[in-house]
């Protein structure tokens, strides 16, 4: 069965950096596009970044362009989200996502940006 396990969240000061990881299993990772989403308190879940199966193309939400980088290691079945220049408005639970017959989600990892 599909499993997605996120890690790497935490508390960071504004301007700081974090690197999130999502370990995937239960499907052919190297053939599948992967995404990161986030959900802030009281808000709907929103897409943050997506990467193609080969890692040769990426897309980002306007709010994170130039600050976040999505990447993947197909040998490790892991997708990453490098987050730099973090802002308080980046505070959210971050989720890994894969679309197969339906959407699959990890358990999420909390990112809090605060001084």
């Amino acid at each position: 069965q599909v499993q997605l396990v996120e890690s790497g969240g935490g508390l960071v000061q504004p301007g700081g950096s974090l690197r999130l990881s999502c370990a995937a299993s239960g499907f052919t990772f190297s053939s599948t596009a992967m995404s990161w989403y986030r959900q802030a308190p009281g808000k709907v879940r929103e897409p943050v970044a997506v990467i193609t199966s080969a890692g040769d193309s990426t897309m980002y939400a306007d709010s994170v362009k130039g600050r976040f980088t999505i990447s993947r290691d197909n040998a490790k079945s892991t997708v990453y989200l490098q987050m730099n220049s973090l802002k308080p408005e980046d505070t959210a639970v971050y989720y890994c996502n894969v679309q197969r017959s339906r959407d699959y989600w990890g358990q999420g990892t909390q990112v809090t940006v605060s001084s």
Side-chain angles (χ1 to χ4, degrees):
Q1 68 278 23
V2 174
Q3 286 193 322
L4 302 171
V5 180
E6 301 98 335
S7 62
L11 173 64
V12 63
Q13 292 187 342
S17 298
L18 281 175
R19 189 196 196 201
L20 306 183
S21 299
C22 171
S25 61
F27 62 99
T28 306
F29 182 81
S30 59
S31 300
T32 310
M34 297 293 297
S35 301
W36 284 97
Y37 282 69
R38 68 185 181 185
Q39 187 166 18
K43 295 189 175 181
V44 299
R45 194 171 298 187
E46 62 177 6
V48 174
V50 61
I51 187 167
T52 54
S53 57
D56 54 353
S57 183
T58 57
M59 291 184 66
Y60 298 92
D62 287 344
S63 58
V64 307
K65 277 181 183 176
R67 300 187 298 121
F68 290 12
T69 302
I70 188 172
S71 62
R72 65 191 295 158
D73 185 336
N74 285 347
K76 295 182 178 179
S77 297
T78 300
V79 61
Y80 305 97
L81 187 68
Q82 177 67 44
M83 305 186 295
N84 299 329
S85 302
L86 282 160
K87 304 175 181 180
E89 51 264 44
D90 295 318
T91 295
V93 178
Y94 284 71
Y95 297 91
C96 185
N97 168 270
V98 63
Q99 295 180 349
R100 306 279 292 169
S101 55
R102 63 172 179 88
D103 277 318
Y104 289 89
W105 303 94
Q107 83 287 355
T109 186
Q110 176 70 48
V111 172
T112 302
V113 185
S114 175
S115 55

